[in-house]
Amino acid sequence: MTMETTRRDFIKTTSVVTGGLMMGFTIAATKNEAKAAGMVYTPNAWVHIADDNTITILSARSEMGQGVYTAMPMLIAEELNVGINQIKVAIAPPGAVYVNALLGAQITGGSTSVRDGWEKLRISGAQVREMLISAAAAEWKVNRATLRAENGMVLGANGKKATYGSLAAAASKLPVPEKVAIKDPKDFRIVGKRVPRLDTPAKTNGTAEFGMDVKLPGMVYASLEQCPVIGGKVKSFDGSKAKAMPGVVDVVQISDGVAVVANSYWQAVKARKALSVQWDEGAGAAITTASVINGTRNAIGTGKVLEITKPVGNVADAMKGAAKVIKAEYITPMQAHAPLEPMNFTANFVNGKMTLIGPTQFQQGAQGAVAEALGLKPEDISVQTTFLGGGFGRRIELDFIVQAAQIAKAVGKPVKLVWSREDDMTHDFYRPAGVNQLQAGLDAQGNPVALHFKVSSQSVTQRAFGLPKDTLDPFMAEAAVAGYNIPNTQHDLIIHDSGMRVGYWRAVSHNMNAFANESFMDELAKAAGKDPYAYRMALLKDKPRFANVLKLAATKAGWGKPLPAGRARGIALMEGYDTYMAQVAEVSIKNGEVVVHRITVAADVGQIVNPDIVEAQIQSSINFGMSAGLKHEITLEKGVVQQTNFNNFQVVRMHESPVIDITLVKSTEKPGGIGEPGSAVVVPAIANAVAALTGKRVRQLPINAANLRQA
């Protein structure tokens, strides 16, 4: 259970995991580095302690800006009784012990990191703490009840003390206690505090390693020509001109296209332009934006209907007896992930073993996909995760990792595959288009007595994980059932395969379902002649967490108070990822475009690990959601994506970002997820504000000048 290693380079670990414990690992290190660090002991898979008292905590979730590199170690450090500045942090290697229990694999996504780690990481810290105390008790021959662990030391009577490092060797040989006491939240010293992010120094001084920063001795670069129509294959190609260009090492065909390999990235890109490739575009060449939307809409009447929940009451009879029936259709377009760091990965194939280094949200998937593609054993593939320059679900996909591995094996050199922005934008796994059709019956007082909710879209889970056909995809049904008390309800889901390559996108189906539900709720309030906020509150009896955030957001935003001329407010509410959130948007119109001045947020996220990270996540998700809601859509002509860069897929710029006023609810509930809900709630809040201001209801996103004119 001991090994020589460097203090800091745990990112290069490989592990053998058995029964939930890391039984051993090796790290490449120079003799000087190893000598400086001394021996490292591993009481469990999350904590490594060197005999010089260097403590390294592993984060099993990929750091892509969302703060897990800080939040996850905070949970362990709290129970280990060490200050956050006393630890170092590294990203965990692939291993069964690091599986995200909420997702069933070692995946970073679904706003699950803190929810999954809330108890198990605290328990892991407490286990190591208790093992260190037991080691000290055995060494000093005293009752362990007389000892305590604090600030990296075990303390006893009469000034007796020892560092964790000096006890780590003995502690690592003890059995891991199955049951340990973890702190009552009232005793937290770290969790719940505004702790500065641990990755900030490295990301500001240039020492942080992203995928684009990886360099290996003798490394070459690859640029990959792929079919303009996703799914198309190479019929034939001529690489002779490319091979003759300066710096070119090789031109190789792989399953997804033709790669040019050169001594520099720019040499590879220039030579790639000299390729002559004939493509078999396949069935995808027939896909257009209209075919995607129309097919999705038509499926509502022709496809198999799946129940999201069991119907409540009798919707059909209630509709017949309603004083008024309201119908509406809402359309959400396809979206690209477009993280600022384009897809890239480095691969090195030596002596039958593959080393993969780069940004991924799915370590086990990378290992398995490359093993299958190359005919290797998973244990012969190591995955080293760098920082991610954004993910949003795109880096759960494995295409670019397999491509890098195939190229590296073909050329026999370390290869870094780098996609251009245009490659990234036109070969994504897109958020699928969605069509929501809602119908409600109102009584004579305008109260809803019946609601029939229908959603049609493509199933990402069928494509990505083989969900059987005609099986409910829960990732299509998120936020479909709103929190309002309506006596008769029916919620239907229809899966339609548009032929596009689709993927999970930040907040997944919350985006289409919250947009539909919250826009429709405003439409019902208007039909009833009632205030949208008051209308919602009346439907939230016995829903305290919903009602509380709605009231907080409305009050903080000054709901009902006069605004400057040319401005209006809109409100929206949603539960997602065990987080309850309400937002109020304040908007105006300038030159036909929507200007968002202020977003007021009330969020009940349960118990909070780091309020500063929570606020940053809300701010980022609001700007992300605004980009999609006001500007973004992916369109197709003959199967070819028309958006190629940020000139025609624009993001919200700094001067367009609104004032964001956040209220976090103090709560003793279990933690909720926070990386995604804000992206879904902000869009209907803006849509409702625009409708209040202009009298026009935009039911097809984005809410841009063209769609506003057609509303």
Side-chain angles (χ1 to χ4, degrees):
M1 301 279 297
T2 64
M3 62 292 292
E4 288 194 356
T5 185
T6 167
R7 293 186 186 185
R8 61 184 180 276
D9 210 1
F10 282 93
I11 209 166
K12 297 178 180 176
T13 61
T14 59
S15 65
V16 180
V17 181
T18 305
L21 294 179
M22 180 178 282
M23 304 304 293
F25 63 90
T26 59
I27 300 174
T30 66
K31 291 181 179 179
N32 288 337
E33 287 175 322
K35 192 178 294 182
M39 307 297 286
V40 173
Y41 306 92
T42 308
N44 68 13
W46 305 95
V47 180
H48 304 313
I49 304 174
D51 56 11
D52 68 353
N53 214 32
T54 298
I55 302 170
T56 300
I57 291 176
L58 269 64
S59 170
R61 303 293 162 252
S62 302
E63 176 57 72
M64 49 190 168
Q66 83 281 36
V68 294
Y69 202 80
T70 303
M72 312 299 276
M74 284 175 67
L75 294 170
I76 299 173
E78 179 68 67
E79 298 291 343
L80 192 57
N81 282 339
V82 293
I84 200 71
N85 293 322
Q86 292 176 265
I87 64 171
K88 297 177 183 295
V89 185
I91 302 296
V97 71
Y98 302 119
V99 163
N100 185 331
L102 295 177
L103 297 175
Q106 191 175 345
I107 292 179
T108 305
S111 294
T112 58
S113 295
V114 168
R115 290 188 290 156
D116 171 65
W118 175 247
E119 285 194 354
K120 76 181 181 186
L121 294 185
R122 291 160 61 202
I123 289 170
S124 75
Q127 287 174 333
V128 176
R129 180 193 70 219
E130 295 306 306
M131 292 164 74
L132 290 164
I133 290 174
S134 293
E139 182 177 326
W140 298 339
K141 296 180 174 54
V142 299
N143 185 340
R144 69 182 312 282
T146 64
L147 306 180
R148 68 185 191 279
E150 280 187 19
N151 298 321
M153 306 276 290
V154 175
L155 307 176
N158 302 318
K160 192 77 170 176
K161 61 183 178 180
T163 66
Y164 287 1
S166 66
L167 297 167
S172 67
K173 297 174 183 176
L174 298 175
V176 178
E178 291 186 10
K179 294 184 179 181
V180 291
I182 57 175
K183 293 180 183 178
D184 187 293
K186 66 180 176 58
D187 298 322
F188 285 161
R189 296 187 296 179
I190 298 173
V191 172
K193 303 297 189 295
R194 292 181 178 272
V195 174
R197 285 182 54 149
L198 299 177
D199 52 345
T200 298
K203 287 180 176 178
T204 54
N205 66 23
T207 59
E209 185 179 54
F210 292 83
M212 297 292 252
D213 299 320
V214 173
K215 292 182 180 178
L216 297 178
M219 186 179 76
V220 291
Y221 296 79
S223 183
L224 180 65
E225 183 76 3
Q226 301 179 77
C227 183
V229 176
I230 295 175
K233 299 297 182 183
V234 176
K235 286 198 297 188
S236 63
F237 77 96
D238 182 354
S240 57
K241 290 183 179 179
K243 279 187 176 181
M245 294 185 69
V248 173
V249 174
D250 205 349
V251 176
V252 297
Q253 181 180 345
I254 61 171
S255 57
D256 289 341
V258 180
V260 176
V261 183
N263 291 323
S264 75
Y265 170 69
W266 288 113
Q267 287 174 328
V269 169
K270 289 178 182 178
R272 174 180 155 189
K273 294 177 181 178
L275 287 173
S276 175
V277 185
Q278 301 299 314
W279 301 103
D280 176 3
E281 294 181 340
I287 302 174
T288 65
T289 305
S291 74
V292 170
I293 293 175
N294 291 336
T296 304
R297 176 190 290 118
N298 294 338
I300 293 178
T302 60
K304 181 177 178 60
V305 175
L306 303 170
E307 290 182 350
I308 295 174
T309 60
K310 290 292 182 184
V312 176
N314 190 314
V315 168
D317 287 351
M319 290 288 186
K320 291 176 184 177
K324 185 184 293 186
V325 174
I326 308 296
K327 298 179 181 180
E329 179 181 85
Y330 304 92
I331 298 172
T332 47
M334 292 184 293
Q335 293 285 354
H337 296 83
L340 290 184
E341 180 190 21
M343 297 304 103
N344 70 90
F345 230 78
T346 299
N348 190 19
F349 186 67
V350 179
N351 297 327
K353 298 182 184 297
M354 180 68 73
T355 299
L356 302 170
I357 310 173
T360 179
Q361 293 176 242
F362 190 8
Q363 287 81 2
Q364 287 175 315
Q367 204 173 42
V370 171
E372 182 178 358
L374 300 186
L376 301 175
K377 297 177 181 179
E379 56 266 31
D380 289 333
I381 300 170
S382 68
V383 180
Q384 301 169 22
T385 307
T386 61
F387 286 118
L388 283 60
F392 317 123
R394 177 61 177 96
R395 287 187 161 99
I396 289 175
E397 305 300 342
L398 308 166
D399 53 327
F400 58 100
I401 303 175
V402 172
Q403 292 166 359
Q406 289 175 328
I407 297 166
K409 186 178 181 184
V411 301
K413 294 175 179 288
V415 172
K416 181 191 288 186
L417 171 66
V418 179
W419 285 24
S420 68
R421 173 61 57 200
E422 289 76 13
D423 295 332
D424 212 32
M425 200 77 77
T426 57
H427 290 82
D428 200 352
F429 288 75
Y430 302 93
R431 187 189 80 181
V435 175
N436 293 75
Q437 293 180 354
L438 280 72
Q439 179 177 338
L442 307 182
D443 64 17
Q445 289 74 44
N447 300 313
V449 295
L451 172 70
H452 193 175
F453 173 102
K454 301 176 184 178
V455 58
S456 177
S457 187
Q458 194 165 345
S459 170
V460 177
T461 313
Q462 279 188 358
R463 192 276 309 162
F465 294 105
L467 180 74
K469 188 178 180 182
D470 296 334
T471 301
L472 179 74
D473 183 349
F475 293 103
M476 293 175 63
E478 299 162 317
V481 182
Y484 305 111
N485 295 312
I486 300 174
N488 301 281
T489 58
Q490 183 174 333
H491 293 80
D492 297 336
L493 182 151
I494 300 92
I495 297 175
H496 170 69
D497 187 351
S498 69
M500 280 301 295
R501 191 168 80 171
V502 294
Y504 302 116
W505 189 94
R506 192 176 191 174
V508 197
S509 62
H510 292 87
N511 295 291
M512 60 185 178
N513 294 329
F515 170 60
N517 273 327
E518 288 302 289
S519 295
F520 194 58
M521 191 55 59
D522 255 43
E523 298 210 52
L524 298 186
K526 182 178 180 180
K530 298 181 180 180
D531 174 79
Y533 163 60
Y535 194 75
R536 285 173 169 81
M537 284 297 291
L539 299 174
L540 293 174
K541 184 180 179 181
D542 301 323
K543 301 289 183 73
R545 296 182 78 182
F546 277 112
N548 186 43
V549 293
L550 186 67
K551 182 179 180 180
L552 282 171
T555 302
K556 195 73 180 292
W559 188 269
K561 294 181 179 179
L563 283 169
R567 293 195 186 187
R569 298 186 185 97
I571 197 165
L573 175 68
M574 187 192 81
E575 180 278 320
Y577 309 100
D578 295 327
T579 286
Y580 294 75
M581 181 180 289
Q583 293 186 25
V584 175
E586 181 181 322
V587 309
S588 67
I589 304 293
K590 183 178 180 180
N591 300 324
E593 300 286 356
V594 177
V595 178
V596 183
H597 298 279
R598 178 180 291 270
I599 300 290
T600 304
V601 184
D604 178 352
V605 304
Q607 295 182 71
I608 296 172
V609 176
N610 189 325
D612 189 61
I613 290 176
V614 170
E615 289 176 355
Q617 282 284 72
I618 293 173
Q619 291 162 347
S620 74
S621 62
I622 284 172
N623 280 284
F624 191 88
M626 281 178 56
S627 294
L630 298 177
K631 297 172 180 285
H632 288 173
E633 62 178 328
I634 289 295
T635 59
L636 298 159
E637 291 184 12
K638 297 181 179 179
V640 178
V641 172
Q642 299 303 293
Q643 289 69 35
T644 57
N645 210 314
F646 290 123
N647 64 312
N648 51 14
F649 194 82
Q650 295 186 11
V651 298
V652 167
R653 305 290 180 102
M654 290 178 68
H655 72 279
E656 298 171 309
S657 180
V659 173
I660 301 175
D661 185 352
I662 300 170
T663 298
L664 299 179
V665 175
K666 291 184 178 180
S667 176
T668 58
E669 299 285 346
K670 65 181 181 180
I674 197 56
E676 299 173 85
S679 295
V681 184
V682 70
V683 178
I686 293 171
N688 291 337
V690 170
L693 178 64
T694 65
K696 295 182 177 182
R697 172 62 59 179
V698 177
R699 298 188 182 92
Q700 179 166 347
L701 296 176
I703 311 170
N704 56 21
N707 285 338
L708 191 54
R709 284 194 299 269
Q710 295 173 13

